[in-house]
Amino acid sequence: MKAKFISAFMDVAERFAQLSSAKRLNVGAIVVKDDRIISIGYNGMPSGWDNCCENTLDDGSLKSKPEVLHAESNAIAKLARSSESGEGASIFITHSPCLECAKLIFQSGISTVYYKNKYRSSDGVNFLNASGVTVECTSDYSSP
């Protein structure tokens, strides 16, 4: 995929990240196949729940609620409910995936992962690499 398209799709993922109501970290993901966006996701609460993604701890810090869905899992769940297939698709994520999302990415047949920012753990990227999924950090790409 040409660098200008990688940059454009990452821009779209970043725009969807802005829709998240999370306070700690906003993450966006889009699934692309045959140069078409076939699914989108951002981190947030399940449909029908309130949009409060974190609990405030005694020390004033925020901790994500266990019910929060990650952007990748939201995008893959929406993909599963559509007539589209993830087989051979690419996913663009604003942050590298956690291990749980990496397993979903692999299982859905997505073959390429592009991410911009590193997550606190590299377990997801390591899993994807070991599973034969192409993983690429796009922080070196700039918009055209």
Side-chain angles (χ1 to χ4, degrees):
M1 187 178 291
K2 291 182 180 180
K4 67 180 182 179
F5 291 109
I6 293 170
S7 179
F9 286 132
M10 188 57 70
D11 286 348
V12 174
E14 289 179 316
R15 179 63 184 105
F16 277 102
Q18 294 172 8
L19 298 177
S20 171
S21 60
K23 292 180 176 37
R24 289 181 56 231
L25 182 65
N26 297 337
V27 181
I30 63 167
V31 181
V32 174
K33 187 171 183 179
D34 301 326
D35 298 324
R36 293 180 305 114
I37 296 171
I38 61 172
S39 190
I40 60 97
Y42 50 90
N43 58 320
M45 298 299 283
S47 296
W49 290 51
D50 69 24
N51 285 327
C52 182
C53 296
E54 295 95 0
N55 289 317
T56 303
L57 301 179
D58 291 339
D59 64 2
S61 65
L62 297 174
K63 180 173 173 65
S64 291
K65 291 180 178 179
E67 300 87 5
V68 168
L69 294 165
H70 289 191
E72 306 93 319
S73 64
N74 253 332
I76 291 169
K78 289 175 185 174
L79 183 62
R81 293 182 67 151
S82 77
S83 60
E84 299 284 353
S85 167
E87 194 68 35
S90 299
I91 189 167
F92 292 79
I93 318 165
T94 58
H95 293 74
S96 58
C98 69
L99 180 58
E100 293 304 311
C101 288
K103 292 187 288 187
L104 290 173
I105 290 167
F106 173 70
Q107 197 68 15
S108 70
I110 292 171
S111 60
T112 307
V113 174
Y114 296 97
Y115 72 91
K116 188 169 185 178
N117 305 294
K118 291 184 179 177
Y119 186 60
R120 64 180 175 251
S121 168
S122 60
D123 291 347
V125 170
N126 295 340
F127 171 84
L128 290 167
N129 285 325
S131 300
V133 176
T134 302
V135 181
E136 189 171 332
C137 180
T138 66
S139 59
D140 294 334
Y141 291 98
S142 59
S143 295

